[in-house]
Amino acid sequence: MPKLTIDDKPVQVPDGTTILAAAQKLGIKIPTLCFNPHLLPYGGCRICTVEVSMPWTEGPGRLVPSCSHPVDEGMSVKTQSPATISARRFIAELLLAAAPESEHMREVAASLGISPDNLAEDDLIGQYLFERAAKPEKTKCIKCSMCVRVCAEHVGMQAICFTQRGTRRSVRTPFEKVSKTCIGCGACAYICPTRAIHIESAD
């Protein structure tokens, strides 16, 4: 069982344990969005980023998603380092600009000191964020993939999927047609962290 430290607190956990699970064992809170204990680790949103270093490495540690990165013997993890906080704030700005309608996303961003009113305007990335916030798409989706994953992993139907790439990426039915494999179970709506999916009656 690997021994490691998280924020200078020692912990020993079984092989294959993720950094996030080890931190939770110590009562250390790490923000998450695309994580759910009932789904396979994904590491998509990166809001759970932490700084990791090993005894044989020098200089700054590397940033990894704690929800999918396994622990290792002698590992040192920092959940509140300047690099970690900076990375989370940057990620939160991107997600908030992409889905400013989401109350949950606003709450996560606010916990990191981010709001639509204080997005940076002094560089190219800041300008992009400002313009996205000023003219937001009417969506709460942050593309965390939890709906896609629960449909595939637990329902076993793959009734929805991702289409396109980059900023055009979105959740759709295959070929954007009415999905013949959807059984109307509502698992996608239930697990959605931002309540972007709603089940409507056919009546």
Side-chain angles (χ1 to χ4, degrees):
M1 295 191 10
K3 296 180 181 179
L4 65 152
T5 61
I6 303 178
D7 293 341
D8 297 322
K9 296 180 180 180
V11 64
Q12 186 172 19
V13 292
D15 284 316
T17 302
T18 63
I19 294 173
L20 178 62
Q24 290 174 338
K25 183 177 180 179
L26 288 172
I28 296 174
K29 186 176 181 180
I30 298 175
T32 62
L33 279 172
C34 71
F35 169 77
N36 186 288
H38 302 293
L39 298 176
L40 295 174
Y42 183 66
C45 74
R46 292 303 207 257
I47 202 75
C48 68
T49 290
V50 295
E51 185 176 354
V52 170
S53 59
M54 300 299 293
W56 55 84
T57 59
E58 297 181 358
R62 59 194 180 102
L63 299 177
V64 300
S66 63
C67 71
S68 60
H69 197 86
V71 301
D72 201 355
E73 179 68 33
M75 177 182 284
S76 175
V77 179
K78 297 183 183 300
T79 69
Q80 298 294 324
S81 69
T84 297
I85 298 301
S86 178
R88 288 180 190 165
R89 285 176 56 87
F90 177 74
I91 292 165
E93 286 183 342
L94 288 175
L95 293 174
L96 183 59
E101 299 293 313
S102 168
E103 288 298 324
H104 183 62
M105 189 61 244
R106 285 174 175 265
E107 290 173 4
V108 172
S111 70
L112 296 168
I114 304 298
S115 77
D117 299 326
N118 63 11
L119 295 180
E121 299 181 64
D122 56 355
D123 53 33
L124 290 177
I125 294 177
Q127 186 62 34
Y128 161 77
L129 295 174
F130 180 76
E131 290 175 357
R132 288 294 299 272
K135 298 178 181 180
E137 298 177 11
K138 297 300 182 180
T139 180
K140 293 182 179 181
C141 180
I142 57 171
K143 303 173 181 63
C144 67
S145 86
M146 290 176 70
C147 57
V148 175
R149 289 150 57 204
V150 74
C151 188
E153 294 176 22
H154 288 278
V155 185
M157 303 308 293
Q158 296 181 316
I160 52 179
C161 62
F162 275 120
T163 63
Q164 304 293 340
R165 294 185 179 184
T167 58
R168 298 179 63 187
R169 195 182 196 207
S170 61
V171 177
R172 294 284 187 271
T173 55
F175 306 106
E176 299 192 23
K177 296 181 179 181
V178 175
S179 179
K180 296 181 180 180
T181 58
C182 178
I183 60 175
C185 66
C188 55
Y190 177 80
I191 205 169
C192 178
T194 62
R195 298 298 179 261
I197 301 175
H198 300 277
I199 301 298
E200 298 181 356
S201 173
D203 298 336

